[in-house]
Amino acid sequence: MNQWNYTDSMLAFLIILASTNSNTVILNESASMWYVSNNNMQIFVSKSDCRIRNIRINGIQILSSPVTISTPGFPSFPQRKIRDISLNNRSPYEITISCTEDLQNAQRIVEYTLDTLRFTIEVSFVKTTPGETELRIDYHLPVLENMQYVFFPNGDQPLPTKAADRRQLLYRKDIAVPCVSSYNKKTNCGITIFSPLEIDKPWLAFIVDRSNIVVSNRRLRLSSMNRVNTAITIVTHGGDWRPGLAYLLANYPDHFYPKSKHVIEGEGWYYLADAFDDDHQIQEASAAHTSWTEIHGHFPFYGLYVPEVKEWSIIFDSDNYDLIDWDKGLGRKKNNVTRMRQAIDKWHKQGIQVYLYFQCFEAWYRYALQYFQQSIAKDKYGNPLPGWKYTFLMNPDPEYEWGNHIVNQIAELLRVYQNVDGIFYDRMDYWHYDFDHEDNITFVDNRSAYTLALAQEKINGKIFDLLHQNGKGIWGNGPASIEVCKNLDGVMAERYKTNLFRLQYLTLVRPFIFLAYDREPRDTEEKLKNALLCGAFPSITMGTGFCKKLDEKYRPLFDLIRNRKWVLHEDPISIPENLLGNIYQTPGGDYVVILIDPNESQLSATNISYNVEIAVRVPNIEQINYAYLHSADWSGIRSLSIDKHNNAIYITLPQHTTASVVVLSQKQR
């Protein structure tokens, strides 16, 4: 633990007193230290080496040693020296301490900025000699000795700090929101550390290393021609992880909130349609209470979704034809603009919204080679990166010919299919490195490259704007990161429950769908339980018999979470350890508690749990007077008694088996 002399401790105490009733940032100093504080955080920065010696939250020390910023490849050589340390008291609401260091072959600038809500550490590098190299910047925050739990947004439950040791979660692969939370319930003290969304990240990981949370930025391109910027931001809260997500939601609304009211109004059960579905299939989908459908298979091949001709042959997922054959009209079947417009109208007559399949990454390899060779993404050996069947991955940066083609395709889609509701935007999960192009940020295996996820961020801005300006919506499949979700309307998780659990944090306030491809009753039940838990609507089952009965059993439960949003107050629910649960709020102000037992099934002998106790803590507890129980295991609604004390609502479920929903309401039903 850090040792503090009496002067430091007394000054810290006075800072706390001074800032208790002030919404400003205060700077004090001693002979050896700067002390910067806001209402609940105090930062102690050494004047001699500009290192953070301590951080206190509401007077509680959270560091067990100083913060370390390591840059492997640029160690502290004898030539290292601190050139300048400066203060920038920009306003009563923000103070920055800046340190410039001369290293061997590079200059490093470290800035500590505290405002009324957050603390940001930003590290910038400039190379002072010719050439380029890979840069790695790691932030080591020794906070875990004073915390009890670590939470990653990957769908797992919070882990005790010791159980989390040696865990590494890679951004875009393991997590889609770049953050980690750690907290102590006993002291009601917690922090969330995140990488600011406005900073590009070729490679980012969150690592638990004994007492440290390490935020590691790698594969950064450092040259004398560019300045590399990385940063972490720390926000404080109580002993829970939810307020950290609440901060991100409040400060990056465009990345979380949907733009299209159309998508919000159409949220519900999903049906995967083929362009050639007949009237009977459309009526069956309608009878299954489908709210919206994605039409696939309407286009000739990947990369060309709105041909210039009025009729075309369909040849995707096959290599039996070449471009000359296609130009001659050869293919499996033919499609045309008129029948597509009629198909869209048929779905609309059943009250079902229609989104046409589209994507920006994959192109039929023959098409790519013929017309877009300069945009093909390649591996470090110069080989095209493979995509889905018979496709190459393309670089969709709108400055390149392929990206420009994709933008033009969206414009054509809007012109040709004016009756469509929007697009189903597939393959938002690619984040490969393209070694045939450069983004001036990425450096891998001693070579400049282009992180494809960054290209998608660029093109998304253009095509999303076009669609929204024309009143259309966008459903996106499997986004790898929150950055590619900016202005996205709805998110799909496809096939695997790991995708569902990981992507749920992208949908705090936007519609969510789970496409499970379920054909067997056990798969259908798993789909329904997990989707309900994560606040997602499910796809219509592809099975028959009991699969359809299960869909019908769960349908009333999903109606309760339509247009829900996450409840992100601190510690809003307590449930038995053998259950999984979450809590949402509806547009009407009701709270909806979801409970599932991951080990119980309606398909086998079940163990009924009796007198299941839960607690709910929400800000307007005094207005909640009614509780109603819904279940997947029996029909009907049961009124429940509620007990209010200690700022919580306590409810006892008389029984629970596989899935239960408790609705807390201000109004009697």
Side-chain angles (χ1 to χ4, degrees):
M1 302 291 289
N2 287 340
Q3 300 297 316
W4 297 94
N5 60 36
Y6 175 79
T7 302
D8 289 332
S9 298
M10 180 54 69
L11 185 52
F13 176 70
L14 291 174
I15 291 171
I16 295 170
L17 286 180
S19 61
T20 300
N21 297 311
S22 172
N23 195 30
T24 60
V25 181
I26 297 172
L27 172 68
N28 288 280
E29 62 181 297
S30 66
S32 61
M33 202 80 61
W34 281 297
Y35 311 87
V36 188
S37 65
N38 60 20
N39 275 2
N40 53 22
M41 181 184 282
Q42 298 84 43
I43 312 297
F44 299 73
V45 180
S46 169
K47 288 184 174 182
S48 62
D49 59 8
C50 208
R51 291 184 68 186
I52 299 172
R53 296 292 173 174
N54 196 14
I55 298 176
R56 292 184 180 179
I57 300 174
N58 296 325
I60 299 171
Q61 182 172 318
I62 67 168
L63 297 184
S64 56
S65 60
V67 171
T68 299
I69 301 171
S70 64
T71 52
F74 293 91
S76 300
F77 293 115
Q79 294 90 335
R80 173 186 181 269
K81 65 178 181 178
I82 296 177
R83 174 186 292 186
D84 178 56
I85 298 177
S86 61
L87 291 171
N88 189 342
N89 197 342
R90 297 173 182 172
S91 75
Y93 312 106
E94 181 178 293
I95 292 175
T96 296
I97 299 174
S98 179
C99 172
T100 301
E101 302 172 273
D102 287 330
L103 306 178
Q104 192 175 60
N105 303 324
Q107 186 179 85
R108 182 171 76 170
I109 302 96
V110 180
E111 291 188 340
Y112 306 122
T113 300
L114 183 69
D115 64 20
T116 57
L117 296 175
R118 59 190 167 257
F119 176 53
T120 298
I121 307 174
E122 182 171 358
V123 178
S124 303
F125 256 79
V126 176
K127 200 168 187 292
T128 55
T129 56
E132 57 184 12
T133 188
E134 179 177 345
L135 178 64
R136 170 179 170 179
I137 301 175
D138 292 349
Y139 300 79
H140 302 255
L141 293 102
V143 299
L144 296 182
E145 285 188 12
N146 297 307
M147 299 295 178
Q148 293 178 309
Y149 298 98
V150 177
F151 172 79
F152 295 104
N154 67 337
D156 289 346
Q157 296 298 301
L159 293 170
T161 51
K162 290 185 178 179
D165 192 23
R166 306 300 176 183
R167 297 252 332 205
Q168 173 177 301
L169 277 82
L170 182 60
Y171 186 49
R172 301 190 179 99
K173 177 179 179 290
D174 304 310
I175 54 176
V177 180
C179 70
V180 59
S181 298
S182 189
Y183 56 93
N184 188 316
K185 284 184 172 292
K186 290 183 178 179
T187 60
N188 194 32
C189 176
I191 61 171
T192 292
I193 306 162
F194 69 91
S195 177
L197 305 190
E198 58 272 19
I199 293 181
D200 292 327
K201 312 164 187 64
W203 193 98
L204 175 70
F206 293 85
I207 304 163
V208 177
D209 181 15
R210 294 184 291 274
S211 64
N212 287 275
I213 290 177
V214 181
V215 183
S216 183
N217 294 267
R218 305 179 194 177
R219 298 180 176 176
L220 296 161
R221 178 176 180 261
L222 179 63
S223 75
S224 57
M225 304 298 292
N226 71 314
R227 175 170 172 154
V228 175
N229 297 302
T230 67
I232 60 169
T233 295
I234 302 171
V235 293
T236 65
H237 44 75
D240 191 26
W241 52 268
R242 291 173 183 259
L245 291 177
Y247 176 89
L248 285 167
L249 175 63
N251 285 270
Y252 294 97
D254 288 344
H255 290 78
F256 288 96
Y257 282 91
K259 292 285 185 182
S260 170
K261 291 183 180 179
H262 207 53
V263 170
I264 297 170
E265 292 168 356
E267 183 183 16
W269 292 68
Y270 159 93
Y271 178 83
L272 175 58
D274 183 82
F276 295 89
D277 282 348
D278 58 28
D279 292 348
H280 176 70
Q281 290 167 306
I282 295 173
Q283 289 167 4
E284 274 198 339
S286 177
H289 304 278
T290 298
S291 294
W292 68 279
T293 186
E294 162 211 347
I295 292 185
H296 195 285
H298 58 93
F299 51 92
F301 45 79
Y302 289 100
L304 185 61
Y305 303 102
V306 191
E308 293 180 358
V309 295
K310 290 187 176 181
E311 184 175 75
W312 57 89
S313 298
I314 295 175
I315 58 174
F316 68 85
D317 287 357
S318 170
D319 200 30
N320 295 329
Y321 309 93
D322 59 24
L323 276 169
I324 296 176
D325 294 330
W326 183 76
D327 284 334
K328 293 178 179 178
L330 300 179
R332 295 194 302 272
K333 58 179 71 172
K334 291 185 181 296
N335 200 2
N336 61 69
V337 170
T338 300
R339 73 164 306 282
M340 281 303 301
R341 289 171 176 165
Q342 292 172 347
I344 294 168
D345 287 339
K346 286 180 180 180
W347 286 98
H348 282 165
K349 286 180 181 178
Q350 299 295 328
I352 297 170
Q353 292 185 359
V354 177
Y355 295 82
L356 290 181
Y357 181 93
F358 193 91
Q359 61 153 298
C360 71
F361 272 123
E362 293 170 335
W364 182 33
Y365 79 98
R366 295 182 187 273
Y367 185 58
L369 289 171
Q370 180 70 28
Y371 297 110
F372 302 100
Q373 281 197 43
Q374 299 304 312
S375 295
I376 296 172
K378 296 181 180 179
D379 64 21
K380 62 183 178 181
Y381 303 107
N383 302 312
L385 290 173
W388 179 247
K389 296 178 181 179
Y390 310 109
T391 66
F392 290 158
L393 291 190
M394 311 297 287
N395 190 315
D397 187 320
E399 296 298 318
Y400 300 155
E401 56 183 355
W402 174 256
N404 186 60
H405 162 74
I406 288 296
V407 173
N408 289 336
Q409 283 279 281
I410 287 290
E412 276 297 286
L413 184 148
L414 290 167
R415 183 185 66 82
V416 173
Y417 301 118
Q418 295 181 22
N419 59 337
V420 78
D421 296 283
I423 66 166
F424 176 81
Y425 194 41
D426 197 18
R427 300 315 307 246
M428 295 186 71
D429 56 332
Y430 283 124
W431 54 282
H432 296 61
Y433 299 116
D434 171 12
F435 288 86
D436 207 47
H437 302 89
E438 298 180 2
D439 56 18
N440 295 318
I441 299 163
T442 306
F443 200 81
V444 185
D445 295 334
N446 294 315
R447 289 181 58 183
S448 293
Y450 201 132
T451 302
L452 288 180
L454 302 182
Q456 185 169 63
E457 291 178 35
K458 292 180 180 180
I459 196 166
N460 285 0
K462 289 186 175 293
I463 64 177
F464 289 7
D465 283 350
L466 270 174
L467 288 159
H468 286 144
Q469 288 165 10
N470 285 271
K472 309 301 182 183
I474 308 112
W475 279 93
N477 188 15
S481 67
I482 185 63
E483 285 94 344
V484 299
C485 291
K486 187 175 182 181
N487 294 326
L488 181 67
D489 299 309
V491 169
M492 172 183 278
E494 186 176 4
R495 194 177 294 275
Y496 304 109
K497 70 177 183 180
T498 51
N499 291 334
L500 178 73
F501 290 158
R502 176 174 51 87
L503 298 179
Q504 64 181 316
Y505 306 101
L506 302 176
T507 67
L508 303 178
V509 289
R510 63 159 62 93
F512 194 20
I513 200 78
F514 182 35
L515 170 56
Y517 300 101
D518 55 297
R519 290 180 171 84
E520 299 296 331
R522 189 165 297 280
D523 295 332
T524 299
E525 186 178 38
E526 283 295 300
K527 170 196 73 176
L528 295 165
K529 288 166 64 176
N530 290 321
L532 187 65
L533 174 66
C534 295
F537 271 83
S539 55
I540 303 295
T541 184
M542 296 180 176
T544 58
F546 198 59
C547 291
K548 292 185 176 181
K549 289 182 180 180
L550 284 168
D551 270 8
E552 287 302 316
K553 281 187 173 185
Y554 273 79
R555 195 173 308 284
L557 305 187
F558 284 99
D559 289 341
L560 299 171
I561 61 168
R562 193 181 308 276
N563 299 148
R564 91 293 177 271
K565 64 179 180 180
W566 280 53
V567 174
L568 297 174
H569 307 299
E570 182 182 326
D571 198 22
I573 58 168
S574 297
I575 62 175
E577 290 185 357
N578 64 309
L579 302 181
L580 297 176
N582 205 348
I583 180 170
Y584 302 99
Q585 189 173 24
T586 69
D590 290 345
Y591 292 97
V592 181
V593 178
I594 309 295
L595 297 173
I596 72 162
D597 190 322
N599 300 312
E600 296 297 333
S601 170
Q602 294 185 24
L603 307 177
S604 58
T606 54
N607 296 312
I608 300 175
S609 299
Y610 296 97
N611 299 322
V612 176
E613 297 181 352
I614 66 172
V616 176
R617 304 168 194 86
V618 291
N620 58 335
I621 184 175
E622 70 285 347
Q623 299 174 14
I624 305 298
N625 295 308
Y626 305 97
Y628 301 97
L629 175 62
H630 305 249
S631 175
D633 303 297
W634 43 264
S635 59
I637 305 172
R638 183 175 298 181
S639 179
L640 300 176
S641 299
I642 65 175
D643 178 26
K644 299 180 185 179
H645 62 272
N646 296 332
N647 296 316
I649 298 173
Y650 295 88
I651 302 168
T652 300
L653 282 61
Q655 64 183 55
H656 169 83
T657 307
T658 59
S660 298
V661 177
V662 178
V663 178
L664 300 173
S665 182
Q666 302 177 35
K667 300 178 182 179
Q668 188 173 11
R669 299 186 177 183

